[in-house]
Amino acid sequence: MPELPEVETVVRQVRPAITGAVVQRLALHGAHVLHHKSLPVRALRGQKVCAVERRGKFIRIRFSGNMALLVHLRMTGHLAAVPADTSPGKHDHADLIFNNGMALRFRDVRKFGRLMLIDDTQADSQTPLADLGPEPLEISLEDFRRLLGSTSRGIKALLLDQHKLAGMGNIYCDEALFIARVHPATAANRISAPKVQALWEAMRQVLLAAIEHKGSSIDSFLTPEGEPGNYQNAHLAYGRSGQPCPRCGRTMRKTTVAGRGTTACPTCQRPPRRKSP
DNA sequence: TCTAACCTGATC
DNA sequence: GATCAGGTTAGA
């Protein structure tokens, strides 16, 4: 479900709700929620929340005692501040309970999401954060050009690879590629210089606009305040298969690229030449 | 580099 | 009953 704009929206709403609060305990309902390399969660008792940040699609809740709780929402994860005395429902898998009567509740229908308590003293080494590529909103055009020039992988597969770029997901890839008129299967190192720049700009434009609109709610995404995002109404490509292209009017088509459902305009995003046998 | 797998629910 | 879903990853 959540890509960079949705995770950023979650962080912005959770931050004021829990910053400064002191942890009573982290209650886990079900063994699967905690990452197998997590530190023991009892170490959280008495620690104060000093920051809530996003890195790629990870949420990092930092504590006074040099620990941090990483949260990855995967497909259907959700966070919300609730009164600590409300009993957890079927899909509620963890409660970070504070001594002010509130709890940060982790809900996840598909159970893909994970929590991980890490040592926050040494940079990010030894944590999943160490393997992440640069932020799509921070990478320079020069570095983006270098990244694309370094591989013949399909551009969509590259944009989705969190080790290369951290935060892009299926929706915002399709949107950015449509705007830049790049076919999702194009070899990254064969995209022309003007189109590389167009793609870099489109990626930034789409992510910033989506953050402004509190993300996209296709099926189930709700912000911690319980509201859906609005950006789905602005989608030009994602979810618009069978509908006319907003640019040329031809029918948009859905295919599979990089193992993901992918919608593109067959006219505006001309497919790459196939290698001859 | 690609596929299957992880889960549950919604929709066809 | 089969298929699909905003993500990631182990294994072929």
Side-chain angles (χ1 to χ4, degrees):
Chain A
M1 163 234 295
E3 308 180 26
L4 188 155
E6 290 76 30
V7 178
E8 180 65 27
T9 300
V10 170
V11 164
R12 289 183 183 189
Q13 293 190 3
V14 164
R15 182 182 292 139
I18 69 169
T19 300
V22 175
V23 176
Q24 189 175 91
R25 66 194 179 96
L26 175 60
L28 301 170
H29 323 301
H32 70 276
V33 209
L34 198 64
H35 190 283
H36 66 285
K37 288 183 179 171
S38 174
L39 299 174
V41 300
R42 52 186 319 145
L44 276 174
R45 178 181 294 274
Q47 298 212 15
K48 185 200 273 187
V49 175
C50 55
V52 182
E53 303 166 345
R54 179 189 61 74
R55 176 72 177 95
K57 298 173 191 171
F58 285 88
I59 297 159
R60 168 160 59 179
I61 302 171
R62 313 182 81 156
F63 298 94
S64 49
N66 292 325
M67 324 214 73
L69 185 66
L70 295 184
V71 181
H72 200 303
L73 303 174
R74 292 286 186 101
M75 294 288 267
T76 52
H78 176 265
L79 290 176
V82 301
D85 57 3
T86 57
S87 51
K90 180 182 177 186
H91 301 299
D92 297 331
H93 307 303
D95 287 311
L96 184 59
I97 301 169
F98 300 104
N99 63 11
N100 64 2
M102 298 300 292
L104 184 66
R105 176 158 288 174
F106 177 69
R107 180 167 72 222
D108 185 12
V109 171
R110 289 177 72 177
K111 300 182 181 174
F112 289 168
R114 290 292 179 272
L115 308 183
M116 182 178 184
L117 187 63
I118 61 168
D119 182 337
D120 206 27
T121 50
Q122 295 187 311
D124 293 332
S125 61
Q126 303 294 94
T127 81
L129 301 180
D131 301 323
L132 296 179
E135 290 286 325
L137 288 171
E138 291 174 9
I139 190 172
S140 67
L141 173 57
E142 185 185 348
D143 286 348
F144 188 67
R145 201 183 290 290
R146 199 170 296 134
L147 173 63
L148 270 56
S150 71
T151 178
S152 60
R153 289 172 75 186
I155 181 62
K156 179 162 176 175
L158 181 64
L159 295 177
L160 285 171
D161 186 341
Q162 303 297 301
H163 303 298
K164 303 296 182 183
L165 206 57
M168 293 293 283
N170 208 28
I171 293 177
Y172 301 102
C173 279
D174 278 12
E175 293 299 300
L177 289 164
F178 172 79
I179 291 170
R181 305 190 192 214
V182 175
H183 190 281
T186 313
N189 61 4
R190 292 185 54 203
I191 301 173
S192 69
K195 285 204 172 180
V196 170
Q197 177 163 359
L199 183 55
W200 180 79
E201 287 170 356
M203 177 174 76
R204 298 175 56 83
Q205 167 196 326
V206 156
L207 292 175
L208 289 170
I211 291 170
E212 187 77 15
H213 290 265
K214 299 180 180 170
S216 301
S217 293
I218 299 303
D219 189 42
S220 60
F221 174 71
L222 294 177
T223 74
E225 293 173 3
E227 301 278 329
N230 288 316
Y231 195 70
Q232 66 279 5
N233 302 316
H235 289 178
L236 301 174
Y238 182 89
R240 296 196 67 257
S241 174
Q243 298 179 47
C245 169
R247 207 157 36 206
C248 75
R250 285 275 304 276
T251 304
M252 307 277 290
R253 292 295 176 202
K254 184 169 182 178
T255 59
T256 298
V257 176
R260 312 295 300 280
T262 298
T263 305
C265 172
T267 305
C268 296
Q269 295 162 274
R270 200 164 48 83
R273 252 184 315 145
R274 288 163 54 102
K275 273 187 277 185
S276 41

